[in-house]
Coordinates of all heavy atoms in Angstrom, one line a residue:
M1153 N -0.1 36.5 -53.1 CA -1.0 36.7 -51.9 C -0.6 35.7 -50.9 O -0.9 34.5 -50.9 CB -2.5 36.5 -52.3 CG -3.4 37.1 -51.3 SD -5.1 37.1 -51.9 CE -5.9 37.5 -50.4
P1154 N 0.2 36.1 -49.8 CA 0.7 35.2 -48.8 C -0.4 34.7 -47.9 O -1.0 35.5 -47.2 CB 1.8 36.0 -48.1 CG 1.4 37.4 -48.3 CD 0.6 37.5 -49.6
R1155 N -0.6 33.4 -47.8 CA -1.7 32.9 -46.9 C -1.1 31.8 -45.9 O -1.8 31.1 -45.3 CB -2.8 32.2 -47.7 CG -3.6 33.2 -48.5 CD -4.7 32.5 -49.3 NE -5.5 31.6 -48.4 CZ -6.5 32.0 -47.7 NH1 -6.9 33.3 -47.8 NH2 -7.2 31.2 -47.0
D1156 N 0.3 31.9 -45.8 CA 0.9 30.8 -45.0 C 0.4 30.8 -43.5 O 0.2 29.7 -43.0 CB 2.4 31.1 -45.0 CG 3.1 30.7 -46.3 OD1 2.4 30.1 -47.1 OD2 4.2 31.1 -46.5
R1157 N 0.2 31.9 -42.9 CA -0.2 32.0 -41.5 C -1.5 31.3 -41.3 O -1.9 30.9 -40.2 CB -0.3 33.5 -41.1 CG 1.1 34.1 -41.0 CD 1.1 35.4 -40.2 NE 0.5 35.3 -38.9 CZ 1.3 35.0 -37.8 NH1 2.6 34.7 -38.0 NH2 0.7 34.9 -36.6
D1158 N -2.4 31.2 -42.3 CA -3.6 30.5 -42.1 C -3.5 29.0 -41.7 O -4.4 28.5 -41.1 CB -4.5 30.5 -43.4 CG -4.9 32.0 -43.7 OD1 -4.7 32.8 -42.8 OD2 -5.5 32.2 -44.8
Y1159 N -2.3 28.5 -42.0 CA -2.2 27.1 -41.7 C -1.4 26.8 -40.4 O -1.2 25.7 -40.0 CB -1.4 26.4 -42.8 CG -2.2 26.5 -44.1 CD1 -1.9 27.5 -45.0 CD2 -3.2 25.5 -44.3 CE1 -2.7 27.5 -46.2 CE2 -3.9 25.6 -45.5 CZ -3.7 26.6 -46.4 OH -4.4 26.7 -47.6
I1160 N -1.0 27.9 -39.7 CA -0.4 27.7 -38.4 C -1.4 27.7 -37.3 O -2.1 28.8 -37.0 CB 0.7 28.8 -38.1 CG1 1.8 28.7 -39.2 CG2 1.3 28.7 -36.7 CD1 2.7 29.9 -39.1
L1161 N -1.7 26.6 -36.7 CA -2.7 26.5 -35.6 C -2.1 26.4 -34.3 O -1.2 25.5 -34.0 CB -3.6 25.3 -35.9 CG -4.4 25.3 -37.2 CD1 -5.1 24.0 -37.3 CD2 -5.4 26.4 -37.2
D1162 N -2.4 27.3 -33.4 CA -1.9 27.3 -32.0 C -3.1 27.1 -31.1 O -3.8 28.1 -30.8 CB -1.1 28.5 -31.7 CG -0.4 28.5 -30.4 OD1 -0.4 27.4 -29.8 OD2 0.0 29.5 -29.9
I1163 N -3.3 25.9 -30.6 CA -4.5 25.7 -29.8 C -4.1 25.5 -28.4 O -3.5 24.5 -28.0 CB -5.3 24.4 -30.3 CG1 -5.7 24.6 -31.8 CG2 -6.5 24.2 -29.4 CD1 -6.3 23.3 -32.3
P1164 N -4.3 26.5 -27.5 CA -3.9 26.3 -26.1 C -4.8 25.3 -25.4 O -5.9 25.1 -25.7 CB -4.1 27.7 -25.5 CG -5.1 28.4 -26.4 CD -5.0 27.8 -27.8
G1165 N -4.2 24.6 -24.4 CA -4.9 23.6 -23.6 C -4.8 22.2 -24.1 O -5.2 21.3 -23.5
L1166 N -4.2 22.0 -25.3 CA -4.0 20.7 -25.8 C -2.8 20.1 -25.1 O -1.7 20.6 -25.0 CB -3.8 20.6 -27.3 CG -5.0 20.5 -28.2 CD1 -4.5 20.3 -29.7 CD2 -5.8 19.3 -27.8
P1167 N -3.0 18.9 -24.4 CA -1.8 18.3 -23.7 C -0.7 17.9 -24.7 O -1.0 17.3 -25.8 CB -2.5 17.1 -23.0 CG -3.7 16.8 -23.8 CD -4.2 18.1 -24.4
D1168 N 0.5 18.1 -24.3 CA 1.6 17.7 -25.1 C 1.9 16.2 -24.8 O 2.2 15.9 -23.6 CB 2.8 18.6 -24.7 CG 4.1 18.2 -25.5 OD1 4.0 17.2 -26.4 OD2 5.1 18.8 -25.3
P1169 N 1.9 15.3 -25.7 CA 2.1 13.9 -25.5 C 3.5 13.6 -24.9 O 3.6 12.7 -24.1 CB 2.0 13.2 -26.8 CG 1.2 14.2 -27.7 CD 1.5 15.6 -27.1
Q1170 N 4.5 14.5 -25.2 CA 5.8 14.3 -24.7 C 5.9 14.6 -23.2 O 6.8 14.2 -22.5 CB 6.8 15.1 -25.5 CG 6.8 14.9 -27.0 CD 7.2 13.4 -27.3 OE1 8.1 12.9 -26.7 NE2 6.5 12.8 -28.3
A1171 N 5.0 15.4 -22.7 CA 5.1 15.9 -21.3 C 4.5 14.9 -20.4 O 4.7 15.0 -19.2 CB 4.4 17.3 -21.2
R1172 N 3.7 14.0 -20.9 CA 3.0 13.0 -20.0 C 4.0 12.0 -19.5 O 4.8 11.5 -20.3 CB 1.9 12.3 -20.8 CG 0.6 13.2 -20.8 CD -0.5 12.4 -21.4 NE -1.0 13.0 -22.7 CZ -1.8 12.4 -23.6 NH1 -2.2 11.2 -23.3 NH2 -2.2 13.0 -24.6
P1173 N 3.8 11.6 -18.2 CA 4.7 10.5 -17.7 C 4.4 9.2 -18.4 O 3.2 8.9 -18.8 CB 4.4 10.5 -16.2 CG 3.0 11.1 -16.1 CD 2.9 12.1 -17.2
A1174 N 5.3 8.3 -18.5 CA 5.1 7.0 -19.1 C 4.1 6.2 -18.2 O 3.9 6.4 -17.0 CB 6.4 6.2 -19.1
A1175 N 3.4 5.3 -18.9 CA 2.4 4.5 -18.2 C 3.0 3.7 -17.0 O 4.0 3.1 -17.2 CB 1.7 3.6 -19.2
G1176 N 2.4 3.8 -15.9 CA 2.9 3.1 -14.7 C 4.0 3.8 -14.0 O 4.5 3.2 -13.0
A1177 N 4.4 5.0 -14.4 CA 5.5 5.6 -13.7 C 5.2 5.9 -12.2 O 6.1 5.9 -11.4 CB 5.8 6.9 -14.4
Y1178 N 4.0 6.1 -11.9 CA 3.6 6.5 -10.5 C 3.6 5.3 -9.6 O 3.5 5.4 -8.4 CB 2.2 7.2 -10.5 CG 2.2 8.6 -11.1 CD1 1.4 8.9 -12.2 CD2 3.1 9.5 -10.7 CE1 1.4 10.1 -12.7 CE2 3.2 10.8 -11.2 CZ 2.3 11.1 -12.3 OH 2.3 12.3 -12.9
R1179 N 3.6 4.1 -10.2 CA 3.4 2.9 -9.4 C 4.8 2.1 -9.2 O 4.8 1.1 -8.6 CB 2.4 2.0 -9.9 CG 1.0 2.6 -9.9 CD -0.1 1.6 -10.2 NE -0.1 1.2 -11.6 CZ -0.5 0.0 -12.0 NH1 -1.1 -0.8 -11.2 NH2 -0.5 -0.3 -13.3
A1180 N 5.8 2.7 -9.8 CA 7.1 1.9 -9.8 C 7.7 1.7 -8.4 O 8.3 0.7 -8.2 CB 8.1 2.6 -10.7
I1181 N 7.4 2.6 -7.5 CA 8.1 2.6 -6.2 C 7.4 1.6 -5.2 O 8.1 0.9 -4.5 CB 8.1 4.0 -5.5 CG1 8.9 4.9 -6.4 CG2 8.6 3.9 -4.1 CD1 8.7 6.4 -6.0
G1182 N 6.1 1.5 -5.2 CA 5.4 0.7 -4.2 C 5.9 -0.6 -3.8 O 6.5 -0.7 -2.7
P1183 N 5.8 -1.7 -4.6 CA 6.2 -3.0 -4.1 C 7.7 -3.1 -3.7 O 8.0 -3.7 -2.7 CB 5.9 -3.9 -5.3 CG 5.0 -3.1 -6.2 CD 5.3 -1.7 -5.9
A1184 N 8.5 -2.4 -4.4 CA 10.0 -2.5 -4.1 C 10.2 -1.9 -2.7 O 11.0 -2.4 -1.9 CB 10.8 -1.8 -5.2
E1185 N 9.6 -0.8 -2.4 CA 9.8 -0.1 -1.1 C 9.3 -1.0 0.0 O 9.9 -1.2 1.0 CB 9.0 1.2 -1.1 CG 9.7 2.3 -1.8 CD 11.0 2.7 -1.1 OE1 10.9 3.1 0.1 OE2 12.1 2.6 -1.7
R1186 N 8.2 -1.6 -0.2 CA 7.6 -2.5 0.9 C 8.6 -3.7 1.1 O 8.8 -4.1 2.2 CB 6.2 -3.0 0.5 CG 5.1 -2.0 0.9 CD 3.8 -2.7 1.0 NE 3.4 -3.2 -0.3 CZ 2.8 -2.4 -1.2 NH1 2.6 -1.1 -0.9 NH2 2.4 -2.8 -2.4
G1187 N 9.1 -4.2 0.0 CA 10.0 -5.4 0.1 C 11.3 -5.0 0.9 O 11.8 -5.8 1.6
A1188 N 11.7 -3.8 0.7 CA 13.0 -3.4 1.3 C 12.9 -3.3 2.8 O 13.9 -3.4 3.5 CB 13.4 -2.0 0.7
L1189 N 11.7 -3.2 3.3 CA 11.5 -3.1 4.8 C 11.6 -4.5 5.4 O 11.7 -4.6 6.6 CB 10.2 -2.5 5.1 CG 9.9 -1.1 4.7 CD1 8.5 -0.7 4.9 CD2 10.9 -0.2 5.3
N1190 N 11.7 -5.5 4.7 CA 11.7 -6.9 5.2 C 13.1 -7.4 5.5 O 13.3 -8.5 6.0 CB 11.0 -7.9 4.3 CG 9.5 -7.6 4.3 OD1 8.9 -7.1 5.3 ND2 8.8 -7.8 3.2
W1191 N 14.1 -6.6 5.2 CA 15.5 -7.1 5.5 C 16.3 -5.9 6.0 O 16.0 -4.7 5.8 CB 16.1 -7.7 4.2 CG 16.1 -6.8 3.0 CD1 15.2 -6.7 2.0 CD2 17.2 -5.9 2.7 NE1 15.6 -5.8 1.1 CE2 16.8 -5.3 1.5 CE3 18.4 -5.6 3.3 CZ2 17.6 -4.4 0.9 CZ3 19.2 -4.6 2.7 CH2 18.8 -4.0 1.5
L1192 N 17.5 -6.3 6.5 CA 18.4 -5.3 7.0 C 19.8 -5.7 6.6 O 20.1 -6.9 6.6 CB 18.3 -5.4 8.6 CG 19.0 -4.3 9.4 CD1 18.3 -3.0 9.2 CD2 18.9 -4.7 10.9
A1193 N 20.6 -4.8 6.1 CA 21.9 -5.0 5.7 C 22.8 -5.2 6.9 O 22.7 -4.4 7.8 CB 22.4 -3.9 4.8
V1194 N 23.6 -6.2 6.9 CA 24.5 -6.5 8.0 C 25.9 -6.6 7.6 O 26.2 -7.3 6.6 CB 24.0 -7.9 8.7 CG1 24.9 -8.1 9.9 CG2 22.6 -7.8 9.2
H1195 N 26.8 -6.0 8.4 CA 28.2 -6.2 8.2 C 28.6 -7.2 9.3 O 28.6 -6.9 10.5 CB 28.9 -4.9 8.4 CG 30.4 -5.0 8.3 ND1 31.3 -4.2 9.0 CD2 31.2 -5.9 7.6 CE1 32.5 -4.6 8.8 NE2 32.5 -5.6 7.9
W1196 N 29.1 -8.3 8.9 CA 29.5 -9.3 9.9 C 31.0 -9.1 10.2 O 31.9 -9.4 9.3 CB 29.3 -10.7 9.3 CG 27.8 -11.0 9.0 CD1 27.2 -10.7 7.9 CD2 26.9 -11.6 9.9 NE1 25.9 -11.1 8.0 CE2 25.7 -11.6 9.3 CE3 27.0 -12.0 11.3 CZ2 24.5 -12.1 9.9 CZ3 25.8 -12.5 11.9 CH2 24.6 -12.6 11.2
R1197 N 31.2 -8.5 11.3 CA 32.6 -8.2 11.7 C 33.5 -9.4 11.9 O 34.7 -9.4 11.8 CB 32.7 -7.3 12.9 CG 32.0 -5.9 12.5 CD 32.2 -4.9 13.7 NE 33.6 -4.6 13.9 CZ 34.0 -3.5 14.5 NH1 33.1 -2.7 15.0 NH2 35.3 -3.3 14.8
C1198 N 32.8 -10.5 12.3 CA 33.5 -11.8 12.6 C 34.2 -12.3 11.4 O 35.3 -12.8 11.4 CB 32.6 -12.8 13.2 SG 31.1 -13.1 12.1
C1199 N 33.6 -12.1 10.2 CA 34.2 -12.7 9.0 C 34.4 -11.6 7.9 O 34.8 -12.0 6.8 CB 33.3 -13.8 8.4 SG 33.1 -15.2 9.6
H1200 N 34.1 -10.4 8.2 CA 34.3 -9.3 7.3 C 33.5 -9.5 6.0 O 34.1 -9.4 4.9 CB 35.8 -9.0 7.0 CG 36.6 -8.7 8.2 ND1 36.5 -7.5 8.9 CD2 37.5 -9.5 8.9 CE1 37.3 -7.5 9.9 NE2 37.9 -8.7 10.0
V1201 N 32.3 -9.9 6.1 CA 31.4 -10.1 5.0 C 30.1 -9.3 5.2 O 29.8 -8.9 6.3 CB 31.1 -11.5 4.7 CG1 32.3 -12.3 4.2 CG2 30.5 -12.2 5.9
Y1202 N 29.4 -9.1 4.1 CA 28.1 -8.4 4.2 C 27.0 -9.4 3.7 O 27.2 -10.2 2.8 CB 28.1 -7.2 3.3 CG 29.0 -6.1 3.7 CD1 30.4 -6.1 3.2 CD2 28.6 -5.1 4.5 CE1 31.2 -5.1 3.6 CE2 29.5 -4.1 4.9 CZ 30.8 -4.1 4.4 OH 31.7 -3.1 4.8
S1203 N 25.8 -9.2 4.4 CA 24.7 -10.0 3.9 C 23.4 -9.3 4.4 O 23.5 -8.3 5.1 CB 24.8 -11.5 4.3 OG 24.4 -11.6 5.7
R1204 N 22.3 -10.0 4.2 CA 21.1 -9.4 4.7 C 20.5 -10.4 5.7 O 20.7 -11.6 5.6 CB 20.0 -9.3 3.5 CG 20.4 -8.3 2.5 CD 19.3 -8.4 1.4 NE 19.6 -7.4 0.3 CZ 18.9 -7.2 -0.7 NH1 17.8 -7.9 -0.9 NH2 19.2 -6.3 -1.6
I1205 N 19.8 -9.8 6.7 CA 19.0 -10.6 7.6 C 17.6 -10.2 7.4 O 17.3 -9.0 7.1 CB 19.5 -10.5 9.1 CG1 19.4 -9.1 9.6 CG2 20.9 -11.1 9.3 CD1 19.7 -8.9 11.1
Y1206 N 16.7 -11.1 7.7 CA 15.3 -10.9 7.3 C 14.4 -10.8 8.6 O 14.7 -11.4 9.6 CB 14.8 -12.0 6.4 CG 15.4 -11.8 5.0 CD1 16.6 -12.5 4.8 CD2 14.8 -11.1 4.0 CE1 17.2 -12.3 3.5 CE2 15.4 -10.9 2.8 CZ 16.6 -11.6 2.5 OH 17.2 -11.4 1.3
K1207 N 13.3 -10.1 8.4 CA 12.3 -10.0 9.5 C 11.8 -11.3 10.0 O 11.5 -12.2 9.1 CB 11.2 -9.1 9.0 CG 10.7 -8.1 10.0 CD 9.6 -7.3 9.4 CE 9.8 -5.8 9.5 NZ 8.7 -5.0 9.0
T1208 N 11.7 -11.5 11.3 CA 11.1 -12.7 11.8 C 9.6 -12.8 11.5 O 9.0 -11.7 11.2 CB 11.3 -12.8 13.3 OG1 10.8 -11.6 13.9 CG2 12.8 -12.9 13.7
R1209 N 9.1 -13.9 11.7 CA 7.7 -14.1 11.3 C 6.7 -13.2 12.1 O 5.7 -12.7 11.6 CB 7.3 -15.6 11.5 CG 6.1 -16.0 10.7 CD 5.9 -17.5 10.6 NE 7.0 -18.2 9.9 CZ 7.0 -19.5 9.8 NH1 6.1 -20.2 10.2 NH2 8.0 -20.0 9.1
D1210 N 7.1 -13.0 13.4 CA 6.2 -12.1 14.2 C 6.5 -10.6 14.0 O 5.8 -9.8 14.5 CB 6.3 -12.5 15.7 CG 7.8 -12.4 16.2 OD1 8.6 -11.8 15.5 OD2 8.0 -12.8 17.3
G1211 N 7.5 -10.3 13.2 CA 7.7 -8.9 12.8 C 8.3 -8.1 13.9 O 8.4 -6.9 13.8
T1212 N 8.9 -8.7 15.0 CA 9.4 -7.9 16.1 C 10.9 -7.7 16.0 O 11.5 -7.0 16.8 CB 9.1 -8.6 17.4 OG1 9.7 -9.9 17.5 CG2 7.6 -8.7 17.6
A1213 N 11.6 -8.4 15.1 CA 13.0 -8.4 15.0 C 13.5 -8.8 13.6 O 12.8 -9.4 12.9 CB 13.7 -9.3 16.1
Y1214 N 14.8 -8.5 13.4 CA 15.4 -9.1 12.2 C 16.4 -10.2 12.8 O 17.0 -10.0 13.8 CB 16.3 -8.1 11.5 CG 15.5 -6.9 10.9 CD1 15.3 -5.7 11.5 CD2 14.9 -7.1 9.6 CE1 14.6 -4.7 11.0 CE2 14.2 -6.1 9.0 CZ 14.0 -4.9 9.7 OH 13.3 -3.9 9.1
A1215 N 16.4 -11.3 12.1 CA 17.3 -12.4 12.6 C 17.9 -13.1 11.4 O 17.3 -13.2 10.3 CB 16.5 -13.4 13.4
G1216 N 19.1 -13.6 11.6 CA 19.9 -14.3 10.6 C 21.2 -14.8 11.1 O 21.5 -14.6 12.3
C1217 N 21.9 -15.4 10.2 CA 23.2 -16.0 10.6 C 24.3 -15.6 9.7 O 24.0 -15.3 8.5 CB 23.1 -17.6 10.6 SG 22.0 -18.2 11.8
C1218 N 25.5 -15.5 10.2 CA 26.6 -15.1 9.4 C 26.8 -16.2 8.3 O 26.7 -17.4 8.5 CB 27.9 -15.1 10.2 SG 29.4 -14.9 9.3
P1219 N 26.9 -15.7 7.0 CA 27.0 -16.7 5.9 C 28.2 -17.5 5.9 O 28.3 -18.5 5.3 CB 26.9 -15.8 4.7 CG 27.3 -14.4 5.1 CD 26.9 -14.3 6.6
K1220 N 29.2 -17.1 6.7 CA 30.5 -17.8 6.7 C 30.6 -18.7 7.9 O 30.9 -19.9 7.7 CB 31.7 -16.8 6.7 CG 32.0 -16.4 5.3 CD 33.4 -15.8 5.2 CE 33.8 -15.5 3.8 NZ 35.2 -15.0 3.7
C1221 N 30.4 -18.2 9.1 CA 30.7 -19.0 10.3 C 29.4 -19.4 11.0 O 29.4 -20.3 11.9 CB 31.6 -18.3 11.3 SG 30.8 -16.9 12.1
G1222 N 28.2 -18.9 10.5 CA 27.0 -19.3 11.1 C 26.6 -18.7 12.4 O 25.6 -19.1 13.0
K1223 N 27.3 -17.7 12.8 CA 27.0 -17.0 14.0 C 25.6 -16.3 13.9 O 25.4 -15.6 13.0 CB 28.1 -16.0 14.3 CG 27.9 -15.1 15.5 CD 29.0 -14.1 15.6 CE 28.6 -13.0 16.7 NZ 29.7 -12.0 16.7
P1224 N 24.7 -16.6 14.9 CA 23.4 -16.0 14.8 C 23.4 -14.6 15.3 O 24.2 -14.2 16.2 CB 22.6 -16.9 15.7 CG 23.5 -17.4 16.7 CD 24.9 -17.5 16.0
V1225 N 22.5 -13.7 14.8 CA 22.3 -12.4 15.3 C 20.8 -12.1 15.2 O 20.1 -12.6 14.4 CB 23.1 -11.4 14.4 CG1 22.5 -11.1 13.1 CG2 23.3 -10.1 15.2
R1226 N 20.4 -11.2 16.1 CA 19.0 -10.8 16.2 C 19.0 -9.3 16.5 O 19.6 -8.8 17.4 CB 18.4 -11.6 17.3 CG 16.9 -11.6 17.3 CD 16.3 -12.5 18.4 NE 14.9 -12.3 18.6 CZ 14.0 -13.0 17.9 NH1 14.4 -13.9 17.0 NH2 12.7 -12.8 18.0
A1227 N 18.3 -8.5 15.7 CA 18.2 -7.1 15.9 C 16.7 -6.8 16.1 O 15.9 -7.0 15.3 CB 18.7 -6.3 14.6
R1228 N 16.5 -6.2 17.3 CA 15.1 -6.0 17.7 C 14.5 -4.8 17.0 O 15.2 -3.8 16.7 CB 15.0 -5.7 19.2 CG 14.9 -7.0 20.0 CD 14.1 -6.8 21.2 NE 14.7 -5.9 22.1 CZ 14.0 -5.0 22.9 NH1 12.7 -5.0 22.8 NH2 14.6 -4.2 23.7
I1229 N 13.2 -4.8 16.6 CA 12.5 -3.7 16.0 C 11.7 -3.0 17.1 O 10.9 -3.7 17.7 CB 11.6 -4.2 14.9 CG1 12.5 -4.9 13.8 CG2 10.9 -3.0 14.3 CD1 11.7 -5.6 12.8
G1230 N 11.9 -1.8 17.3 CA 11.1 -1.1 18.3 C 11.7 0.2 18.7 O 12.7 0.6 18.1
P1231 N 11.0 1.0 19.6 CA 11.6 2.3 20.0 C 13.0 2.2 20.6 O 13.7 3.2 20.4 CB 10.5 2.8 21.1 CG 9.7 1.6 21.3 CD 9.8 0.6 20.2
D1232 N 13.3 1.1 21.3 CA 14.6 1.0 21.8 C 15.5 0.1 21.0 O 16.6 -0.2 21.4 CB 14.6 0.5 23.3 CG 13.9 -0.8 23.4 OD1 13.1 -1.2 22.5 OD2 14.1 -1.5 24.4
G1233 N 15.0 -0.3 19.9 CA 15.7 -1.2 19.0 C 16.5 -0.5 18.0 O 16.7 0.7 18.1
T1234 N 16.8 -1.2 16.9 CA 17.6 -0.5 15.8 C 16.7 0.3 15.0 O 15.5 -0.1 14.7 CB 18.3 -1.6 15.0 OG1 19.0 -0.9 14.0 CG2 17.3 -2.6 14.3
T1235 N 17.2 1.4 14.5 CA 16.4 2.3 13.6 C 17.0 2.4 12.3 O 16.4 2.8 11.3 CB 16.2 3.7 14.2 OG1 17.5 4.2 14.6 CG2 15.3 3.6 15.5
G1236 N 18.3 2.1 12.2 CA 19.0 2.2 10.9 C 18.7 1.1 10.0 O 18.1 0.1 10.3
R1237 N 19.1 1.3 8.8 CA 18.9 0.3 7.7 C 20.2 -0.6 7.6 O 20.2 -1.5 6.8 CB 18.6 0.9 6.4 CG 17.3 1.7 6.4 CD 16.1 0.8 6.6 NE 16.0 -0.2 5.5 CZ 15.7 -1.5 5.8 NH1 15.5 -1.9 7.0 NH2 15.7 -2.4 4.8
F1238 N 21.2 -0.3 8.4 CA 22.4 -1.0 8.4 C 22.8 -1.4 9.7 O 22.7 -0.7 10.7 CB 23.5 -0.1 7.8 CG 24.7 -0.8 7.3 CD1 24.7 -1.4 6.0 CD2 25.8 -1.0 8.1 CE1 25.8 -2.1 5.6 CE2 26.9 -1.7 7.6 CZ 26.9 -2.3 6.4
F1239 N 23.3 -2.6 9.9 CA 23.5 -3.2 11.2 C 24.9 -3.9 11.2 O 25.3 -4.5 10.2 CB 22.4 -4.3 11.5 CG 22.5 -4.9 12.8 CD1 22.0 -4.2 13.9 CD2 23.0 -6.1 13.0 CE1 22.1 -4.7 15.2 CE2 23.0 -6.7 14.3 CZ 22.6 -6.0 15.4
E1240 N 25.6 -3.7 12.4 CA 26.9 -4.3 12.5 C 26.8 -5.5 13.5 O 26.4 -5.3 14.6 CB 27.9 -3.3 12.9 CG 28.4 -2.4 11.8 CD 29.9 -2.1 12.0 OE1 30.4 -2.2 13.1 OE2 30.5 -1.8 10.9
A1241 N 27.2 -6.7 13.1 CA 27.2 -7.8 14.0 C 28.6 -7.9 14.5 O 29.6 -8.1 13.8 CB 26.8 -9.1 13.3
H1242 N 28.7 -7.9 15.9 CA 30.0 -8.0 16.5 C 30.4 -9.4 16.8 O 29.5 -10.2 17.1 CB 30.1 -7.1 17.7 CG 29.9 -5.7 17.4 ND1 30.9 -4.8 17.1 CD2 28.8 -4.9 17.3 CE1 30.5 -3.6 16.9 NE2 29.2 -3.7 16.9
Ligands
ZN1496 ZN1 31.2 -14.9 10.8

């Protein structure tokens, strides 16, 4: 007398543990994204090097110096300023 099928339970609506996202997956982007806005990648054409310049304290520009020769640069933030995430210092 075959009774095997009695032991196969198919309950719809039960969440599959494998399908759930890992804990904290939804929050991974937040702080890193905000931090990325505080700097700008710069190509220093004077010395052919790359570095980052950081937002000034008042938040109106990015400012920094060439890591090799110390030449200062300032990139304004605003409608007529830089919009890209990459900046070239001439
Ligand atoms: Zn330089």
Side-chain angles (χ1 to χ4, degrees):
M1153 198 169 170
R1155 295 180 48 88
D1156 287 348
R1157 290 191 60 84
D1158 288 354
Y1159 298 95
I1160 298 173
L1161 298 175
D1162 185 14
I1163 305 172
L1166 268 187
D1168 179 3
Q1170 301 298 320
R1172 278 187 244 169
Y1178 292 123
R1179 296 193 289 156
I1181 297 172
E1185 281 293 300
R1186 274 199 296 277
L1189 296 175
N1190 291 327
W1191 59 268
L1192 193 66
V1194 180
H1195 175 213
W1196 299 88
R1197 294 186 64 160
C1198 54
C1199 300
H1200 302 288
V1201 291
Y1202 295 87
S1203 76
R1204 292 175 180 184
I1205 59 174
Y1206 292 87
K1207 222 177 231 183
T1208 54
R1209 203 168 292 181
D1210 58 11
T1212 60
Y1214 296 95
C1217 296
C1218 172
K1220 275 200 175 180
C1221 70
K1223 176 185 169 182
V1225 75
R1226 199 175 166 86
R1228 275 210 299 144
I1229 300 168
D1232 58 338
T1234 181
T1235 53
R1237 297 292 304 136
F1238 196 84
F1239 185 77
E1240 282 217 334
H1242 296 270

